[in-house]
């Protein structure tokens, strides 16, 4: 835990619902190591998203600590947390959350606009990241001119652009069909091989199998934390296409 | 994010909802236009008053003889008329009076070659230059001999010069005025129109006796009778006092105690001021319209910014997630409100320019838009943007990132 990129210590999150108090997290302690590829699993309502929002410094815990490279962020102001998210964390959302009527390039540049980086350099970085996710020819497309998979790739490029210490993805394949989902997973695996630290939420075991570590939540508690050798998403994608071709020929 | 980029973001946001943005600006547009028109008419009126007072030679009374000179024989019969001696008495006996210039008036045709023109023909002596602030563009004033012997000479105004002589030199030329040959000895500097729109330069000065004896052809009750006396007072503080003294002196000289004496004392700058006051009432009305529409416009801006913040909650959440601090969000929405108002101000300015042009051309008012008013109005509308945009912007900046992201 000491050399973890991010760690939670006895994190609890309580929501007050009128008279009742709903405990979404009931004391979760876990460390995410440098270069980990973690899948967060569990039934609906088990606290996966709540946990991810804690890691992402988007929400603050009711008690416990959240450490980013050993520094507790729970007492930071809104402005300081914004800077932490800007420098250290990349987000990928289920619904992509791209700005409409804004080009792919400008969408990817967005995080850099909140830094002091000169515009030309930011533009260059954003272009590089879009090439990395295979959208080098779509720089000037608006989100409405892109497919779901392409939109999610733009979102991934946006998460990469500030070279974060950790990338957090909450159900990134949730809004995509199987094949596009596999393509996105192959992209994540590629990023993992390049040394990125990734945490992604999914309730599909097929998707979780591409990660090298699985965290299973139930009722606000971390139930299981296991390592596994990941399946190859590229291979799975090839198999899927083969299978579909065979179906079509039948 | 620097301000230029924020301005661009704001511009894009306004353009997306173009019609809504323009409708929102309407209050500001009308308010700013009303303010500018009000100030322009105010400056115009002040300019006119100043100009008139300057043209009248500062603090001037005109005493009119109520006797009629025109249409053949003099009417009013009792022989009571102002005379040149009254003018002298006013000048000598009222110490605050600097000069009192006698004047008679006639109409007449001025013929030069095959051109003819009908200006006002005024019989005066050389005191008129000081009393009414006239000056000569060229030539000379009347000599003593010309004044005492009803000399056939004239000084003409700019309009008369233009109409009869065009570009050629009038000095030394002879014209016929009511068939009498008259030599032009001088040309007056121009004064332009007065507030009533009359051309002040459409005049001819001739020695007072010349008009009485040779031009008007009217039999007068007294050989020295005058139509009016232009009385100039040293300082405007003395105006009320001089008015009383004039009344007393003339009653005594004309031996009348009547409620309705045979003369009338008028103060021309008062007439001008009256007109300026009418303008002020109009201005007050405009000021009311302006403040109401600026207030309504400001509230409209606030309303639309609140709508905009709600509509863009997810965008705000996303910006916060990728690193926008509350201050960045505050600035973004504040700049959007300011841009909305400043554009409204610019459109209001355009509207005001058109309206003042129309008012000048069709209603004949003078309207002056001063440069600082232009800057002020746009600056002021931007300030309205800051004032009414602050609350929605602060609301946006205080959103919790996670709640904003989840907003449906
Ligand atoms: N803002 C909130 N107010 C009240 N309760 C909340 C809030 N957010 C989450 N919860 C509750 O906390 C619990 C955990 O929610 P969470 O979103 O973390 O579940 P999840 O594991 O992500 O589920 P899913 O797989 O459906 O996304 C749920 O019971 C949910 O109702
Ligand atoms: Mg969830």
């Amino acid at each position: 835990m000491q050399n973890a990129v991010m760690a939670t210590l006895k994190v609890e999150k309580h929501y007050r619902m009128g008279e009742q108090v709903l405990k979404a997290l009931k004391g979760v302690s876990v460390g995410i190591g440098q270069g980990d590829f973690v899948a967060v699993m569990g039934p609906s309502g088990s606290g996966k998203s709540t946990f991810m929002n804690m890691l992402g410094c988007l929400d603050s815990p009711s008690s416990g600590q959240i450490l980013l490279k050993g520094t507790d962020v729970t007492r930071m102001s809104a402005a300081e947390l914004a800077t932490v998210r800007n420098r250290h964390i990349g987000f990928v959302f289920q619904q992509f959350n791209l700005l409409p009527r804004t080009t792919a390039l400008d969408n990817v540049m967005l995080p850099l606009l909140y830094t002091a980086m000169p515009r030309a350099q930011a533009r260059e970085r954003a272009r590089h990241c879009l090439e990395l996710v295979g959208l080098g020819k779509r720089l000037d497309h608006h989100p409405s001119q892109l497919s779901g998979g392409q939109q999610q790739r733009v979102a991934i490029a946006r998460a990469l652009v500030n070279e974060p210490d950790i990338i957090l993805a909450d159900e990134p394949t949730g809004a995509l069909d199987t094949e596009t989902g596999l393509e996105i997973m192959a992209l994540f695996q590629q990023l993992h091989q390049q040394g990125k630290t990734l945490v992604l939420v999914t309730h599909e075991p097929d998707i979780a199998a591409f990660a090298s570590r699985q965290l299973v939540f139930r009722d606000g508690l971390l139930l299981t934390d296991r390592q596994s050798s990941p399946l190859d998403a590229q291979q799975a994608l090839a198999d899927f296409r083969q299978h579909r071709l065979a179906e079509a020929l039948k | 994010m620097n301000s230029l980029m924020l301005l661009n973001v704001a511009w894009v946001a306004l353009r997306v909802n173009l019609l809504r943005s323009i409708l929102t600006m309407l209050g500001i547009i009308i308010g700013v236009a009303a303010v500018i028109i009000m100030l322009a008419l105010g400056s115009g009126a002040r300019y006119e008053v100043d100009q008139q007072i300057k043209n009248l030679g500062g603090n001037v009374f005109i005493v009119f003889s109520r006797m009629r000179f025109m249409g053949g024989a003099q009417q009013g019969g009792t022989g009571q008329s102002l005379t040149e001696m009254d003018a002298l008495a006013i000048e000598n006996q009222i110490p605050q009076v600097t000069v009192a210039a006698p004047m008679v008036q006639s109409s007449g045709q001025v013929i030069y070659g095959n051109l003819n023109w009908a200006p006002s023909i005024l019989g005066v002596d050389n005191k008129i230059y000081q009393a009414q602030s006239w000056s000569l563009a060229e030539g000379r004033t009347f000599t003593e001999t010309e004044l005492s012997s009803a000399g056939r000479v004239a000084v003409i105004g700019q309009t008369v010069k233009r109409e009869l002589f065009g570009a050629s030199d009038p000095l030394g030329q002879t014209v016929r005025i009511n068939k009498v040959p008259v030599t032009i000895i001088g040309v007056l500097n121009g004064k332009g129109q007065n507030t009533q729109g009359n051309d002040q330069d459409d005049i001819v000065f001739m020695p007072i006796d010349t008009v009485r004896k040779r031009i008007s052809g009217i039999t007068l009750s007294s050989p020295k009778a005058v139509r009016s006396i232009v009385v100039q007072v040293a300082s405007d503080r003395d105006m009320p006092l001089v008015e009383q003294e004039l009344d007393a002196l003339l009653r005594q000289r004309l031996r009348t105690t009547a409620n309705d004496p045979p003369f009338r004392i008028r103060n021309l700058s008062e007439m001008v001021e009256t007109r300026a006051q009418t303008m002020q009432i109009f201005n007050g009305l405009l000021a009311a319209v302006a403040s109401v529409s600026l207030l309504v416009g400001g509230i409209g801006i606030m309303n639309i910014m609140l709508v905009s913040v709600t509509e863009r909650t997810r965008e705000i959440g996303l910006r916060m997630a990728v690193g926008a601090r509350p201050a960045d969000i505050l600035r973004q929405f504040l700049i959007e409100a300011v841009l909305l108002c400043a554009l409204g101000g610019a459109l209001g300015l355009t509207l005001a320019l058109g309206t003042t042009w129309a008012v000048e051309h069709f209603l004949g008012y003078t309207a002056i838009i001063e440069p600082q008013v232009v800057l002020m109005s746009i600056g002021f509308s931007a300030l309205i943007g800051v004032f009414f945009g602050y609350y929605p912007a602060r609301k946006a900046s205080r959103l919790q990132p996670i709640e904003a992201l989840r907003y449906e």
Side-chain angles (χ1 to χ4, degrees):
Chain A
M1 274 239 217
Q2 288 310 311
N3 47 17
V5 177
M6 287 207 82
T8 61
L9 274 180
K10 296 183 190 151
V11 162
E12 302 202 10
K13 182 69 183 179
H14 304 166
Y15 291 110
R16 193 172 295 280
M17 306 288 286
E19 294 288 281
Q20 285 171 316
V21 174
L22 193 147
K23 296 189 175 178
L25 292 178
K26 300 172 181 169
V28 174
S29 299
V30 66
I32 312 292
Q34 169 67 45
D36 273 3
F37 185 1
V38 182
V40 177
M41 301 184 63
S44 188
S46 57
K48 305 183 295 290
S49 295
T50 308
F51 170 72
M52 286 291 269
N53 295 336
M54 298 291 148
L55 284 185
C57 303
L58 289 170
D59 206 353
S60 50
S62 305
S63 68
Q65 290 186 336
I66 294 162
L67 304 175
L68 175 82
K69 291 169 152 179
T71 311
D72 186 9
V73 302
T74 48
R75 290 214 164 62
M76 288 185 173
S77 70
E80 287 170 321
L81 285 174
T83 308
V84 166
R85 291 191 295 268
N86 185 243
R87 302 268 163 78
H88 303 287
I89 300 167
F91 291 96
V92 178
F93 304 94
Q94 181 174 356
Q95 296 302 336
F96 322 137
N97 275 343
L98 299 176
L99 295 183
R101 295 172 289 267
T102 306
T103 64
L105 192 69
D106 284 338
N107 262 294
V108 175
M109 273 173 71
L110 191 64
L112 299 179
L113 300 187
Y114 295 104
T115 67
M117 185 182 291
R119 210 172 153 78
Q121 193 186 340
R123 180 176 291 273
E124 197 43 48
R125 272 251 211 125
R127 203 177 54 77
H128 174 74
C129 289
L130 276 166
E131 276 168 8
L132 209 71
V133 298
L135 288 177
K137 292 196 169 66
R138 298 281 189 279
L139 303 183
D140 294 324
H141 284 56
H142 288 192
S144 60
Q145 300 165 326
L146 295 170
S147 71
Q150 287 171 330
Q151 290 185 53
Q152 195 59 300
R153 283 167 190 272
V154 174
I156 292 169
R158 182 180 62 196
L160 290 170
V161 80
N162 53 352
E163 297 179 343
D165 295 305
I166 186 165
I167 295 172
L168 305 176
D170 194 346
E171 311 219 25
T173 61
L176 303 174
D177 62 61
T178 312
E179 185 182 9
T180 317
L182 288 173
E183 284 171 9
I184 294 296
M185 288 316 294
L187 177 57
F188 276 128
Q189 269 191 345
Q190 185 192 328
L191 294 173
H192 177 227
Q193 274 146 25
Q194 289 164 4
K196 304 276 188 236
T197 307
L198 301 163
V199 180
L200 72 87
V201 169
T202 179
H203 41 232
E204 292 178 60
D206 292 353
I207 294 292
F210 299 120
S212 52
R213 180 180 171 195
Q214 283 86 26
L215 301 180
V216 183
F217 279 75
R218 181 155 298 160
D219 286 338
L221 287 168
L222 180 57
L223 205 66
T224 331
D225 178 356
R226 63 164 185 264
Q227 308 275 336
S228 67
S229 49
L231 290 180
D232 183 355
Q234 203 65 56
Q235 185 61 50
L237 186 60
D239 290 349
F240 177 83
R241 285 175 176 154
Q242 188 89 52
H243 177 71
R244 202 179 48 182
L245 194 66
E247 290 277 297
L249 287 177
K250 239 191 267 175
Chain B
M1 251 204 213
N2 65 36
S3 301
L4 207 70
M5 280 148 71
L6 283 172
L7 210 60
N8 190 44
V9 170
W11 173 242
V12 170
L14 295 189
R15 238 186 19 198
V16 166
N17 288 309
L18 191 61
L19 182 63
R20 186 172 91 181
S21 304
I22 290 174
L23 289 177
T24 305
M25 286 181 222
L26 219 53
I28 302 289
I29 294 174
I30 293 170
V32 166
V35 169
I36 296 178
I37 293 168
M38 177 179 86
L39 293 175
L41 289 179
S43 309
R46 210 169 323 114
Y47 172 82
E48 269 189 29
V49 169
D50 289 351
Q51 208 59 22
Q52 282 279 298
I53 289 174
K54 212 165 86 195
N55 282 350
L56 290 171
N59 318 297
V60 171
F61 287 108
I62 297 186
V63 187
F64 289 96
S65 185
R66 296 186 65 185
M67 223 62 62
R68 288 173 165 273
F69 279 79
M70 278 178 262
Q74 184 196 350
Q75 295 159 11
T78 50
Q80 286 190 322
S81 168
L82 295 175
T83 64
E84 283 181 53
M85 282 71 80
D86 293 322
L88 261 179
I90 290 168
E91 196 176 304
N92 292 336
Q93 290 177 32
I94 305 178
Q96 293 86 353
V97 170
T98 46
V99 65
M103 186 188 277
V104 298
Q105 198 165 8
S106 170
S107 58
Q109 289 286 322
V110 182
I111 299 172
Y112 178 67
N114 56 0
L115 298 172
N116 81 64
W117 190 248
S120 300
I121 296 178
L122 302 175
V124 295
D125 63 19
N126 289 333
K127 286 175 183 167
I128 196 68
Y129 294 98
Q130 188 191 343
Q132 282 191 327
S133 298
W134 286 104
S135 61
L136 282 174
E138 47 189 317
R140 59 174 178 84
T141 57
F142 306 125
T143 63
E144 281 306 319
T145 324
E146 283 161 356
L147 285 168
S148 59
S149 64
R152 294 181 178 89
V153 291
V155 173
I156 59 173
Q158 288 290 334
T159 303
V160 180
K161 177 189 170 188
R162 191 182 64 237
E163 292 297 335
L164 293 178
F165 297 95
S168 65
D169 183 9
L171 288 189
Q173 301 296 324
T174 301
V175 297
R176 298 178 81 82
I177 301 180
N178 289 358
K179 306 209 176 75
V180 180
V182 173
T183 307
I184 308 296
I185 59 162
V187 179
L188 296 167
N189 275 317
K191 281 189 178 184
Q193 293 191 347
N194 66 10
T195 37
Q196 281 74 27
N198 297 330
D199 181 0
Q200 300 179 88
D201 297 322
D202 195 11
I203 56 169
V204 172
F205 283 166
M206 297 176 77
I208 192 163
D209 263 343
T210 315
V211 174
R212 269 194 299 241
K213 290 179 183 157
R214 302 188 199 278
I215 306 295
S216 70
I218 294 169
T219 327
L220 299 171
S221 56
S222 142
K224 292 291 180 192
V226 298
R227 167 85 174 108
S228 55
I229 301 170
V230 182
V231 179
Q232 189 192 45
V233 180
S235 146
D236 55 354
R237 274 178 299 131
D238 298 329
M239 294 293 276
L241 176 69
V242 171
E243 187 166 4
Q244 281 176 17
E245 290 188 10
L246 272 177
D247 188 64
L249 179 66
L250 292 175
R251 278 171 186 277
Q252 180 205 328
R253 288 182 61 86
L254 297 177
R255 294 189 195 84
T256 174
T257 53
N259 276 339
D260 191 22
F263 58 85
R264 217 157 29 135
I265 301 170
R266 300 199 66 179
N267 174 351
L268 277 202
S269 45
E270 255 167 29
M271 288 159 57
V272 177
E273 299 282 1
T274 311
R275 197 176 143 89
Q277 270 162 14
T278 346
M279 294 288 297
Q280 259 162 15
I281 295 168
F282 185 50
N283 264 356
L285 213 66
L286 269 176
V289 170
S291 33
V292 169
S293 18
L294 284 178
L295 184 70
V296 170
I299 292 169
I301 297 278
M302 178 133 96
N303 178 45
I304 219 68
M305 289 311 295
L306 284 170
V307 170
S308 179
V309 167
T310 308
E311 279 178 351
R312 285 151 72 196
T313 302
R314 278 174 76 96
E315 176 193 326
I316 296 165
L318 173 75
R319 285 179 185 272
M320 286 177 158
V322 301
R325 288 158 300 170
D328 292 318
I329 301 294
L330 183 86
R331 269 204 304 164
Q332 178 185 333
F333 281 92
L334 215 47
I335 282 184
E336 198 172 311
V338 167
L339 182 69
L340 201 60
C341 286
L343 281 178
L347 289 177
L349 173 63
T350 317
L351 182 65
L353 287 173
T355 311
T356 48
W357 182 87
V359 164
E360 279 202 289
H361 277 251
F362 301 123
L363 301 182
Y365 284 102
T366 309
I368 299 169
I369 296 184
E370 291 171 47
Q372 67 264 33
V373 168
V374 171
L375 291 179
M376 240 174 54
S377 59
I378 296 192
F380 184 66
S381 34
L383 213 66
I384 289 178
V386 172
F387 186 80
F388 288 98
Y390 184 76
Y391 173 71
R394 199 189 60 156
K395 200 174 163 214
S397 73
R398 292 202 169 175
L399 287 172
Q400 294 299 312
I402 189 63
E403 278 158 25
L405 269 172
R406 282 225 203 94
Y407 185 83
E408 298 290 317

